[in-house]
Amino acid sequence: MGRTSGHQTTNGTKADLPVCGVREPVVRSEMPIKECIVSAPGKAILHGEHAVVHGKVALAVSLNLRTYLRLEPNSAGKVCINLPNIDTFLSWDVTSLQSLQPDRAADPKNAKELDTDLVSRLRGFIGVTDGNTDTRTMAVLAFLYIYLSVFTESGGCPARLCGCGRSCPPAPAGGSSAAFSVCLAAASLRARGAVTCPLGDRDQTARWREEEMELINAWAFLGEKIIHGNPSGVDNAVSTWGGILRYHAGKITPLSRVPMLRILLTNTKVPRSTKVLVAGVKDKINKFPSIMNPVLESIDAVSSTCQLTLTEMASDPTPEHYSVLEELMDINQHHLNVIGVGHPSLDALCQTTLAQGLHSKLTGPGRGLRHHPPQARH
């Protein structure tokens, strides 16, 4: 097997990461599908989670933890999904899936708005209720939605999707849902022929053209909508383009000059639902707009101040810069508690890491995964 895209980096804030690597496609029998392996980096939010959903600035970084997926032909006339990390092994007849998507004129090169009717039909098809948001359900729904949407013109196609990575779980869990959605989109579009194979004869990894990455990102965003309900789009963007991004109201700005930093990620293993937490924050904003909107503005200012500090540090980092980053972490964590996404386990972890000289904040939806900023290198 050819290797997936390179991801050698020793830090979590500046990563020269391609969106995905793709294996040289292998055509089997008369099937239109082509086998490919793709990978995409996980991500962490430095600042701006939740506020970004309401039009504020967020800073997101890619990590050298990746999700790997393989899409391959299936000669048994089945569509299969195999995700060993979450104990998910399912298959369906192609003909049974075709009836769920009557629109045979869909264009895989045009990622439209989420088809909520199709999502409802898929929920009924796999036998889950609307309120079910567990990891397996979200992974299966996202896969089937993108598969049916991308392959509908061809009347369906036997295929098998396999999670084949070790670094990052190939499922919407532990901060990897965006990488999972990007891999789903990239593999499906490549197998369908909607994006090219970027590998040359001697390449082991490659990066798609900008317009193709935009298409991959658009489909990945639909996958994120299925998983999270009302995502900002920042997560799938950083898993598509890699590196560190400034995200504001749908506009993506890569930061080309940032210092080398190391980030410690800690998983509290506290269950949480991004969809539920985002909805809860929205309810609180609607209930107390005069109180909550200034908090969101302050989070926005934290993100912008962090961006300025990182830019200054690129040429001449000083101990004072690290002190600013630490203070911003503390301020943002207090804000996140105010908007209702904190958790006692996070408070305890903040106190534990502070005793070791690390200033911490949650990353992502809250009540689960979090990260710590780097220490100064004197």
Side-chain angles (χ1 to χ4, degrees):
M1 279 185 191
R3 278 197 248 165
T4 50
S5 55
H7 57 281
Q8 295 300 317
T9 177
T10 57
N11 65 89
T13 58
K14 184 177 181 181
D16 230 352
L17 296 174
V19 50
C20 304
V22 59
R23 183 181 179 185
E24 184 67 38
V26 178
V27 181
R28 295 186 178 178
S29 71
E30 73 284 1
M31 298 177 187
I33 196 171
K34 298 176 181 179
E35 181 179 1
C36 60
I37 296 175
V38 298
S39 80
K43 59 81 193 171
I45 304 295
L46 280 182
H47 294 290
E49 48 270 278
H50 288 287
V52 69
V53 177
H54 302 279
K56 308 306 179 186
V57 173
L59 296 181
V61 298
S62 60
L63 305 172
N64 57 345
L65 298 173
R66 303 179 72 87
T67 290
Y68 295 79
L69 293 178
R70 181 175 73 249
L71 189 66
E72 61 187 18
N74 180 10
S75 59
K78 300 279 189 179
V79 174
C80 309
I81 180 169
N82 299 333
L83 300 175
N85 292 45
I86 56 171
D87 194 28
T88 299
F89 304 90
L90 299 170
S91 65
W92 308 270
D93 290 328
V94 172
T95 52
S96 67
L97 290 173
Q98 290 174 351
S99 62
L100 298 172
Q101 179 59 294
D103 180 9
R104 301 300 181 192
D107 181 4
K109 292 190 176 183
N110 181 19
K112 301 177 182 178
E113 288 298 315
L114 187 68
D115 185 343
T116 55
D117 289 338
L118 176 57
V119 175
S120 295
R121 291 196 297 273
L122 288 172
R123 280 190 171 274
F125 178 75
I126 63 177
V128 297
T129 62
D130 287 344
N132 194 329
T133 59
D134 68 274
T135 296
R136 293 185 183 90
T137 298
M138 294 298 98
V140 172
L141 278 177
F143 165 64
L144 288 177
Y145 182 92
I146 291 178
Y147 163 81
L148 284 174
S149 299
V150 170
F151 285 99
T152 186
E153 272 190 322
S154 61
C157 181
R160 179 184 290 109
L161 179 80
C162 303
C164 54
R166 299 185 308 236
S167 298
C168 195
S176 64
S177 71
F180 177 76
S181 295
V182 170
C183 285
L184 274 181
S188 299
L189 291 168
R190 172 62 200 122
R192 182 68 177 86
V195 297
T196 62
C197 175
L199 287 173
D201 292 338
R202 299 183 179 181
D203 293 334
Q204 292 182 322
T205 64
R207 187 183 182 96
W208 276 286
R209 299 193 306 267
E210 186 67 20
E211 61 270 21
E212 291 180 324
M213 289 202 295
E214 289 175 356
L215 180 61
I216 290 168
N217 185 58
W219 278 107
F221 186 44
L222 295 184
E224 284 286 271
K225 283 187 173 183
I226 292 172
I227 294 168
H228 296 308
N230 183 34
S232 65
V234 63
D235 290 2
N236 49 278
V238 76
S239 285
T240 299
W241 276 275
I244 178 168
L245 303 178
R246 179 185 189 270
Y247 189 95
H248 182 221
K251 183 179 180 181
I252 302 165
T253 306
L255 305 184
S256 58
R257 298 187 65 218
V258 292
M260 296 291 287
L261 303 176
R262 290 177 293 180
I263 292 176
L264 171 65
L265 288 169
T266 305
N267 188 354
T268 63
K269 299 183 180 180
V270 176
R272 82 282 188 270
S273 167
T274 301
K275 184 179 293 187
V276 171
L277 289 167
V278 169
V281 171
K282 183 178 180 181
D283 288 344
K284 184 167 284 192
I285 293 170
N286 291 337
K287 186 176 181 180
F288 304 109
S290 63
I291 297 173
M292 301 304 296
N293 286 327
V295 178
L296 297 180
E297 290 292 343
S298 185
I299 294 176
D300 181 89
V302 167
S303 297
S304 297
T305 303
C306 181
Q307 178 185 347
L308 178 62
T309 303
L310 291 174
T311 302
E312 292 175 353
M313 292 174 69
S315 57
D316 185 23
T318 67
E320 288 73 22
H321 285 129
Y322 287 96
S323 295
V324 170
L325 293 182
E326 291 171 347
E327 288 187 76
L328 293 176
M329 287 282 176
D330 294 339
I331 292 169
N332 202 357
Q333 176 61 18
H334 288 307
H335 287 341
L336 291 166
N337 278 329
V338 169
I339 66 175
V341 295
H343 190 273
S345 66
L346 298 178
D347 296 334
L349 206 154
C350 280
Q351 294 302 314
T352 299
T353 56
L354 185 60
Q356 304 301 319
L358 292 171
H359 297 249
S360 306
K361 65 175 285 293
L362 67 85
T363 179
R367 302 184 185 179
L369 192 68
R370 58 164 338 152
H371 72 273
H372 319 290
Q375 298 185 73
R377 298 179 186 176
H378 299 302

